[in-house]
């Protein structure tokens, strides 16, 4: 088969600076070994996140100029609204400044003490917003979803048996919504099957519960369904996406992922009363309902981004180029979460650093060494990020959309493989200082 190429050419370039190891060591010390605290200027290849870090297209930039900055009823809002309605079929659509704003609006309304919100795996901001409301956030993964070496096609699936058990244990009245995150970020960007969504829908119908999607990476999930789920090979991604949203009563979306924008979010709701209450909350803290804390130009960029993300040549390139990185690492003997996910490759840090106990955070030790050795910034997704709730000790290499070329990724793999060959040099860390919540962003560490 021929190479799958980037389905775009480059019109604007942003230089990146090559640093020395001594400079990086100094930056690490200054940042107390927390990669979030390192200025981006000192990072060569930034794989910290795929969120808001993508490159916009020429049509999106043209939209930025077209943006209508009217306070109420801007033309750009209607473009955004019409696009979201066309893609998702939802009627009640609110723009927000990013995913966690949608989460906060929703959980302020449906959360609260005594409530329990299940999900396949809550992202850290979702969990934090639920817990901030006084409710409890529960992860209901399948066994295979938590086994890095298992090659199952839909490891993001919600554990339906565990959902039933939860309902009979706590009672349906304490569950304000059942969530499913597509794709499931915490366990490797792994997709959820349509069959699993349908099963969750059936359980929700049986007990009168609303089903919500955390749909940040809905297009990547739909592409995996097309590639892997029997019966979907001849459907378009747009049709699959519509079928996914048709099963849901609502969705929180960070447009910084599959919206292909640098900032933006969406809240989708079926229930009219909930929508009215969310609109009032939005006006209180984010902005009027036709801009939700964004500029008109941001809405314009989202309207275009949500259309471009459904182009199948884009998705083929996206999923293939992520898998390319995963396959190179696997060939070199590096353990990763298998199969490669949609937006990122997750290194199994516990297997990479068997000499570092969980209490010394092998993921953080590895992320530090990747930066020190070659200037790659990655992210620990393990016991630091999830405190007591980490299903695995992982280091995520999140791949920004349409930003890095194949040679950037070759360099990344070469650097990781060099670190792997000298892995006994990697040191664990201890926490020196930490905030009460979301500690990974600001905690200070020292090498053990
Ligand atoms: N849900 C999921 C599954 C996410 O991955 C994120 C963000 C959010 C919600 C929150 O969205 O950042 O726009 O407020 N994930 C980023 C990441 C930050 O690096 O995975 P946000």
């Amino acid at each position: 088969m021929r190479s799958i190429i980037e389905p775009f050419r480059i019109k604007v370039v942003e230089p990146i600076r090559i640093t020395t190891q001594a400079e990086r060591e100094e930056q690490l010390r200054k940042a107390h070994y927390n990669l979030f605290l390192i200025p981006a200027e000192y990072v060569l290849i930034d794989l910290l996140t795929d969120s808001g870090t993508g490159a916009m297209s020429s049509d999106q930039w043209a939209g930025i100029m077209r943006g209508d900055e009217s306070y109420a009823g801007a033309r750009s809002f209607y473009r955004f609204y019409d696009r979201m309605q066309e893609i998702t079929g939802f009627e009640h659509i609110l723009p927000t400044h990013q995913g966690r704003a949608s989460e906060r609006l929703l959980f302020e309304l449906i959360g609260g003490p005594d409530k329990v919100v299940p999900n396949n795996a809550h992202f850290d901001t979702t969990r934090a917003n639920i817990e901030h409301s006084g409710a409890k956030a529960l992860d209901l993964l399948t066994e295979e979803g938590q086994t890095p070496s298992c090659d199952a096609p839909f490891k993001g699936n919600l554990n339906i048996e565990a959902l039933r058990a939860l309902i009979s244990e706590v009672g349906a009245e304490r569950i304000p919504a059942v969530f499913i995150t597509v794709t499931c970020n915490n366990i490797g960007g792994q997709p959820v099957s349509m069959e699993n969504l349908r099963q969750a829908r059936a359980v929700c119908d049986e007990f009168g519960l609303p089903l919500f999607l955390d749909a940040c990476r809905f297009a990547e999930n739909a592409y995996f369904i097309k590639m892997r789920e029997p019966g979907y090979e001849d459907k378009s991604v747009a049709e699959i996406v519509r079928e996914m949203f048709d099963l849901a009563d609502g969705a929180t979306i960070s447009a910084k992922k599959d919206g292909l924008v640098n900032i933006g979010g969406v809240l989708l709701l079926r229930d009219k009363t909930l929508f009215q209450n969310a609109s009032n909350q939005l006006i209180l803290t984010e902005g009027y309902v036709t801009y939700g804390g964004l500029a008109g130009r941001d809405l314009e960029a989202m309207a275009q981004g949500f259309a471009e993300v459904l182009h199948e040549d884009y998705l083929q390139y996206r999923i293939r180029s992520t898998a390319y990185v995963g396959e190179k690492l696997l060939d070199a003997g590096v353990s990763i979460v298998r199969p490669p996910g949609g937006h990122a490759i997750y290194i199994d840090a516990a297997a990479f650093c068997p000499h570092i106990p969980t209490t010394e955070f092998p993921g953080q030790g590895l992320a530090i060494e990747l930066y020190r050795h070659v200037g790659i910034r990655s992210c620990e997704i393990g016991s630091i990020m999830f405190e007591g709730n980490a299903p695995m000790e992982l280091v995520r290499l999140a791949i920004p959309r349409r930003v890095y070329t194949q040679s950037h990724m070759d360099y990344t793999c070469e650097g990781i493989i060099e670190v792997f060959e000298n892995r006994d040099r990697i040191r664990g860390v201890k926490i020196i200082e930490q905030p009460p919540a979301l500690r990974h962003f600001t905690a200070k560490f020292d090498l053990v």
Side-chain angles (χ1 to χ4, degrees):
M1 200 176 78
R2 293 207 189 100
S3 294
I4 290 164
I5 61 167
E6 287 85 357
F8 49 81
R9 49 187 186 174
I10 297 165
K11 184 175 284 197
V12 176
V13 297
E14 182 180 7
I16 48 180
R17 199 161 71 88
I18 310 229
T19 49
T20 63
Q21 188 150 311
E23 271 181 294
R24 295 193 294 271
E25 281 169 1
E26 191 197 333
Q27 289 303 322
L28 277 170
R29 278 191 299 274
K30 279 194 187 159
H32 303 277
Y33 297 94
N34 184 335
L35 299 176
F36 283 96
L37 304 180
I38 290 185
E41 207 190 328
Y42 292 97
V43 176
L44 182 62
I45 304 215
D46 205 344
L47 308 180
L48 184 67
T49 178
D50 63 318
S51 181
T53 52
M56 292 209 293
S57 68
S58 48
D59 282 340
Q60 286 179 291
W61 282 107
I64 293 279
M65 285 307 297
R66 262 200 319 268
D68 174 356
E69 303 302 340
S70 303
Y71 189 95
R75 198 171 54 235
S76 303
F77 169 75
Y78 292 109
R79 272 217 190 89
F80 158 79
Y81 179 91
D82 290 347
R83 178 77 71 212
M84 294 315 295
Q85 193 182 40
E86 171 196 327
I87 293 174
T88 67
F90 272 80
E91 204 181 309
H92 301 314
I93 300 169
L94 291 173
T96 61
H97 80 271
Q98 60 183 80
R100 69 197 71 180
S102 304
E103 293 164 2
R104 186 188 59 80
L105 290 169
L106 181 68
F107 293 116
E108 252 173 38
L109 295 169
I110 69 167
D114 286 339
K115 301 276 170 60
V116 181
V117 183
N119 199 331
N120 46 358
H122 290 282
F123 184 65
D124 57 354
T125 60
T126 323
R127 171 178 295 281
N129 273 294
I130 291 168
E131 290 174 352
H132 186 71
S133 80
K136 194 170 168 198
L138 266 188
D139 290 352
L140 304 180
L141 285 163
T142 61
E143 193 58 41
E144 58 188 22
Q146 297 171 78
T147 312
S149 59
C150 161
D151 254 325
F154 291 105
K155 291 170 75 174
N157 282 353
L158 180 77
N159 186 333
I160 301 289
E161 288 314 302
L163 176 63
R164 284 188 175 279
L166 176 74
I167 296 169
S168 60
E169 186 197 326
V170 306
E173 61 292 346
R174 285 181 59 199
I175 302 176
V178 173
F179 257 74
I180 300 185
T181 302
V182 295
T183 56
C184 189
N185 188 2
N186 300 6
I187 56 150
Q190 300 293 323
V192 174
S193 69
M194 194 72 82
E195 191 194 356
N196 188 250
L197 292 175
R198 272 197 299 267
Q199 287 170 346
R201 175 77 264 169
V203 174
C204 286
D205 285 343
E206 194 178 320
F207 295 95
L209 299 176
L211 177 65
F212 272 70
L213 298 180
D214 176 338
C216 296
R217 301 177 179 88
F218 69 97
E220 292 172 3
N221 197 88
Y223 190 75
F224 279 120
I225 289 177
K226 183 176 166 96
M227 292 296 109
R228 296 180 183 171
E229 191 160 349
Y232 287 91
E233 47 284 277
D234 297 326
K235 293 217 158 127
S236 71
V237 169
E239 286 171 311
I240 297 170
V241 163
R242 183 57 191 268
E243 194 174 329
M244 287 164 58
F245 281 106
D246 280 349
L247 289 166
D249 298 295
T252 53
I253 306 181
S254 166
K256 300 171 73 170
K257 285 82 167 172
D258 277 351
L260 300 178
V261 291
N262 303 120
I263 195 73
V266 191
L267 178 60
L268 303 176
L269 296 165
R270 294 256 187 241
D271 185 87
K272 195 166 173 207
T273 311
L274 191 56
F275 170 69
Q276 280 163 347
N277 293 338
S279 302
N280 294 337
Q281 286 293 111
L282 186 79
I283 294 170
L284 194 65
T285 57
E286 296 273 315
Y288 186 58
V289 293
T290 63
Y291 72 87
L294 295 166
R297 55 181 170 272
D298 299 324
L299 295 167
E300 200 76 42
M302 275 205 275
Q304 180 63 23
F306 277 113
E308 288 176 12
V309 79
L310 299 181
H311 292 180
E312 298 193 13
D313 50 1
Y314 160 75
L315 284 167
Q316 181 191 38
Y317 141 78
R318 171 74 178 157
I319 299 303
R320 179 62 209 137
S321 55
T322 304
Y324 173 83
V325 175
E327 286 162 15
K328 279 205 148 187
L329 296 179
L330 281 170
D331 285 348
V334 177
S335 298
I336 63 164
V337 173
R338 292 164 57 170
H343 67 294
I345 293 300
Y346 295 63
I347 300 173
D348 181 350
F352 202 104
C353 315
H355 57 292
I356 305 179
T358 309
T359 49
E360 293 176 9
F361 309 113
Q364 189 66 11
L366 174 55
I368 290 167
E369 183 60 17
L370 292 180
Y371 175 73
R372 196 189 70 86
H373 187 65
V374 268
I376 299 165
R377 178 155 66 175
S378 55
C379 185
E380 191 258 13
I381 306 243
S383 289
I384 291 177
M385 183 178 281
F386 293 110
E387 309 195 17
N389 303 300
M392 294 173 271
E393 298 300 327
L394 304 173
V395 167
R396 185 181 72 170
L397 310 165
I399 305 178
R401 294 170 180 76
R402 307 189 290 203
V403 170
Y404 293 114
T405 64
Q406 190 166 336
S407 62
H408 288 118
M409 289 299 128
D410 285 337
Y411 171 94
T412 299
C413 293
E414 288 157 16
I416 294 168
I417 292 164
E418 280 163 29
V419 169
F420 184 60
E421 281 159 2
N422 298 289
R423 57 192 177 278
D424 47 329
R425 279 199 221 144
I426 303 171
R427 291 161 68 185
V429 299
K430 58 179 183 231
I431 297 176
I432 305 294
E433 213 182 288
Q434 58 177 315
L438 297 173
R439 64 179 177 178
H440 52 292
F441 290 123
T442 54
K444 295 178 178 170
F445 305 98
D446 210 348
L447 296 177
V448 174

